[in-house]
Amino acid sequence: MTKKRADWRDYDWRLIRGEPVPVEMNHALDEVLVRRVGSGERQPTLRFWDRQGPEIVLGRFQSVRNEVQVENTDADGIAVNRRITGGGAMFVEPENAVTYSIYAPPELVKGMGFADSYAFLDEWVIEGLRSLGIDAWYEPINDITSSGGKIGGAAQARRHGAVLHHVTMAYDMAPESLPRYLRIGQEKLSDKGITSANRRVGPLRLQTRMERLDIIEHLINTFRERHGLRDGQLHPDEIAEAEELVRTRFATDEWKFLLP
Amino acid sequence: MHHGEYKTVGGKLVIADFRIRDDRLCDVSVSGDFFLEPAEALENINQSLEGLPATASQEAFAAAILRALSPDVEMIGFSPEAVAIAVRRGIDES
């Protein structure tokens, strides 16, 4: 008998409200938590991120040379990180972005194509944004957009027997300094969502006039009502494991310059 | 160093960086904002292009990539053809 596709309500979802951590730590936590959900050591989890500083984040398959003005990020002390999912480069400042990760069992998206699974895993966010008065919709493969402009982008990786799905949304306009760090022409800017100072981006602050933390609270409540969600936290051994991964992998040049 | 780019219909950018030595591709590095499962398959894509004659057609590059990928590899937002176009452009435009 083949296992049928699971429903959100088949799981005991846990929430992690992330403390501000060093920027590499968020990427290491994605690796640790997706592995633990895959092995069954942790319940399926929704984690909201916070950061201690700004960062450039490259997709897993992007080359540093092609995307980043390293002489400028070096000069200004901006961290350049590589995440474990594909997708495009972003310049993220802690107060300008809303980022979350979903760590889900693969049965939740069983039989779905990749494009469908992106939209499926973010249905709750679309609902949450709409109830704030934003006419948000999913633009395949991985964009969350609205008539007020692009809001954010998602990225997925299937690893260690689980699905990692994370999303970064623009809370505020990207700073003028963006073109100083990322190698993107004006035309490509419009495609870069969070990174873009282009008017085709529709940041959440502009569209709701709400505080960033209030928006996050609203989204958490939407998830809770729709799928069920219990408050949880990072376990000390998860934190220790992620810190070790920062040291051995995520903060190393070998990883950051994996594609030079 | 040769460098070719191709933006797919879906908006993903595929980049090919490589050298040409004795009329053959070498040091091939494919990159971009696409998705690929498993991630390690990127090395198979690079390897499949290594040593191919620079005179080969776009179709030949695409076929070589396709041959090198096991059936469980998923290219999301790009394709062997998209990589082949980026390679061909890198040869023709440099």
Side-chain angles (χ1 to χ4, degrees):
Chain A
M1 216 176 81
T2 53
K3 221 164 150 187
K4 79 171 186 56
R5 192 200 306 151
D7 181 80
W8 292 89
R9 288 277 178 183
D10 292 343
Y11 303 104
D12 182 10
W13 288 90
R14 299 303 164 89
L15 170 68
I16 296 170
R17 293 168 199 260
E19 296 289 312
V21 290
V23 282
E24 286 84 3
M25 187 68 177
N26 279 310
H27 304 286
L29 281 169
D30 267 354
E31 173 82 31
V32 170
L33 298 181
V34 74
R35 190 189 294 157
R36 294 212 172 197
V37 169
S39 69
E41 292 168 271
R42 157 173 282 286
Q43 300 291 343
T45 297
L46 169 68
R47 176 173 73 99
F48 276 84
W49 298 26
D50 218 336
R51 301 171 173 83
Q52 286 180 358
E55 62 174 330
I56 302 284
V57 187
L58 294 179
R60 167 67 176 75
F61 308 108
Q62 291 187 299
S63 96
V64 176
R65 184 193 313 121
N66 284 331
E67 305 296 331
V68 184
Q69 315 255 30
V70 177
E71 58 285 1
N72 293 339
T73 54
D74 278 355
D76 298 353
I78 304 285
V80 177
N81 289 318
R82 182 180 300 277
R83 61 178 185 264
I84 61 177
T85 58
M90 311 181 290
F91 175 42
V92 191
E93 294 178 305
E95 294 311 310
N96 284 356
V98 172
T99 302
Y100 61 84
S101 296
I102 295 171
Y103 313 94
E107 288 77 20
L108 187 60
V109 292
K110 192 179 161 68
M112 277 183 210
F114 273 88
D116 288 342
S117 73
Y118 274 89
F120 173 79
L121 291 174
D122 284 329
E123 273 175 10
W124 61 282
V125 173
I126 300 294
E127 179 187 319
L129 295 174
R130 284 186 181 160
S131 61
L132 293 176
I134 302 173
D135 65 334
W137 70 89
Y138 224 79
E139 184 128 313
I141 303 170
N142 60 319
D143 286 341
I144 296 174
T145 194
S146 71
S147 57
K150 179 174 162 175
I151 293 170
Q156 265 183 35
R158 315 224 165 169
R159 301 169 72 89
H160 312 302
V163 180
L164 162 65
H165 176 98
H166 53 198
V167 170
T168 292
M169 296 185 284
Y171 173 67
D172 214 340
M173 297 303 279
E176 310 263 321
S177 55
L178 175 72
R180 180 169 158 76
Y181 301 132
L182 290 180
R183 258 180 229 292
I184 41 184
Q186 280 309 116
E187 192 198 342
K188 254 183 84 182
L189 266 176
S190 63
D191 228 41
K192 292 287 166 184
I194 171 75
T195 63
S196 173
N198 186 292
R199 80 171 80 81
R200 279 194 281 166
V201 173
L204 297 174
R205 192 174 77 88
L206 205 69
Q207 298 211 54
T208 63
R209 310 279 167 195
M210 283 170 69
E211 292 296 326
R212 178 175 165 276
L213 289 177
D214 292 340
I215 292 174
I216 291 175
E217 202 57 40
H218 176 80
L219 293 176
I220 288 172
N221 288 335
T222 307
F223 190 107
R224 200 189 301 277
E225 284 162 22
R226 210 180 145 111
H227 304 315
L229 186 64
R230 283 207 276 163
D231 289 346
Q233 56 192 353
L234 290 168
H235 304 301
D237 56 326
E238 290 171 334
I239 295 170
E241 193 181 330
E243 282 171 346
E244 179 63 10
L245 267 182
V246 168
R247 200 178 61 75
T248 58
R249 182 174 176 198
F250 287 94
T252 64
D253 279 354
E254 197 186 353
W255 172 249
K256 296 186 179 200
F257 290 84
L258 186 65
L259 280 75
Chain B
M1 204 67 191
H2 291 256
H3 176 95
E5 298 188 355
Y6 173 65
K7 190 154 188 162
T8 67
V9 179
K12 300 280 179 252
L13 186 68
V14 180
I15 302 172
D17 290 295
F18 53 91
R19 291 176 206 283
I20 296 178
R21 201 176 297 138
D22 300 331
D23 297 323
R24 290 178 182 273
L25 307 190
C26 63
D27 303 332
V28 181
S29 173
V30 173
S31 65
D33 60 356
F34 46 76
F35 297 96
L36 178 64
E37 295 283 348
E40 292 70 28
L42 185 64
E43 202 39 52
N44 300 98
I45 294 175
N46 291 336
Q47 279 303 321
S48 72
L49 295 164
E50 201 72 25
L52 294 187
T55 51
S57 66
Q58 188 179 302
E59 290 74 19
F61 291 134
I65 295 165
L66 194 59
R67 268 198 306 276
L69 297 178
S70 67
D72 62 324
V73 170
E74 298 208 48
M75 302 172 83
I76 304 121
F78 77 131
S79 61
E81 290 72 25
V83 177
I85 294 170
V87 170
R88 197 61 251 173
R89 286 184 178 175
I91 297 167
D92 296 338
E93 292 169 16
S94 298

